Amino acid sequence: YDYPKAEQYFRTTLNQNRSLYLPSDEELKKYTEKERIEEITKWRERWANGIWFFNKGEPTYITGMMVDHLCVNKFNNRFFNYNESQRDDFYLRDIVRNNNNFKGIMWIKPRRYGMTMEEITNAIYVLISDYGSNIGIQSCTSKICKETILEPLIDTYLSRPKWMREEFYKSNGR
């Protein structure tokens, strides 16, 4: 709202003075305990409920999963830009996830659309949304599945700040 209309668009910021700045684990350690609690609570709220922003003067809502996609997850060590068509995808994902009348969702995956990264975000969001959640990964061959979905999913998950990941059982302590 504080930018001129032409400059009102979604941006994941690297500037600590802006509201959508996500501090790293190292930066968060420098905060006081009260500031850490407030920062983590603020981001968990955004993650769960989404946010509103001005898009060329129009109030625009994005879901918590899309906040996760744009502000928390890094893909190839970078954040994605906001995309209107992906916003609609995340709306649909939210509707299906929150309505008990739906048993699931199936996509016909277009090429060069960002759908693989959306699916990675969806998988991470589902996994950390509720204890005992499971996901499935499928592709033409196990090699393609591992290279195009599983490895990027693991890399994306591990690039998240530790305070935006869940603890999981590590039988060998690693």
Side-chain angles (χ1 to χ4, degrees):
Y1 71 91
D2 55 345
Y3 285 135
K5 198 173 190 178
E7 288 294 312
Q8 291 178 350
Y9 56 89
F10 187 90
R11 52 176 82 61
T12 303
T13 181
L14 301 174
N15 180 346
Q16 292 181 348
N17 298 323
R18 303 300 305 169
S19 65
L20 287 177
Y21 177 73
L22 185 77
S24 68
D25 294 324
E26 295 77 32
E27 291 170 315
L28 204 62
K29 288 178 185 175
K30 297 175 186 174
Y31 289 24
T32 66
E33 183 177 5
K34 181 179 185 236
E35 290 170 333
R36 274 195 306 275
I37 291 168
E38 288 172 354
E39 190 70 18
I40 291 170
T41 301
K42 175 178 70 176
W43 277 101
R44 289 291 182 149
E45 176 74 21
R46 290 172 174 171
W47 181 88
N49 298 316
I51 61 170
W52 285 89
F53 72 99
F54 280 98
N55 191 17
K56 305 273 190 258
E58 292 291 321
T60 305
Y61 171 75
I62 59 174
T63 66
M65 189 185 294
M66 192 165 190
V67 169
D68 195 51
H69 187 69
L70 297 175
C71 299
V72 182
N73 289 338
K74 286 184 180 176
F75 303 94
N76 295 324
N77 210 27
R78 67 180 176 88
F79 292 111
F80 279 148
N81 294 323
Y82 170 80
N83 183 313
E84 286 282 325
S85 61
Q86 285 186 324
R87 183 194 67 185
D88 295 338
D89 293 347
F90 283 105
Y91 282 172
L92 179 61
R93 291 173 189 278
D94 210 46
I95 290 168
V96 170
R97 196 178 70 256
N98 293 315
N99 187 324
N100 292 333
N101 293 322
F102 294 112
K103 301 298 180 204
I105 192 168
M106 183 179 284
W107 297 94
I108 297 175
K109 182 186 169 300
R111 299 212 19 94
R112 303 289 173 244
Y113 177 77
M115 184 61 73
T116 301
M117 298 305 120
E118 281 187 32
E119 286 300 318
I120 288 170
T121 294
N122 186 73
I124 291 171
Y125 198 88
V126 166
L127 283 172
I128 63 178
S129 290
D130 190 23
Y131 182 77
S133 293
N134 295 295
I135 59 165
I137 297 173
Q138 180 178 343
S139 192
C140 303
T141 67
S142 61
K143 181 180 185 289
I144 291 172
C145 185
K146 182 179 177 192
E147 291 174 359
T148 63
I149 303 172
L150 182 59
E151 288 174 0
L153 188 150
I154 293 167
D155 292 343
T156 300
Y157 185 79
L158 293 176
S159 74
R160 299 165 67 88
K162 285 185 180 182
W163 52 273
M164 285 298 285
R165 294 186 282 191
E166 296 300 324
E167 288 294 320
F168 58 92
Y169 174 68
K170 300 172 250 186
S171 62
N172 63 0
R174 295 183 190 157

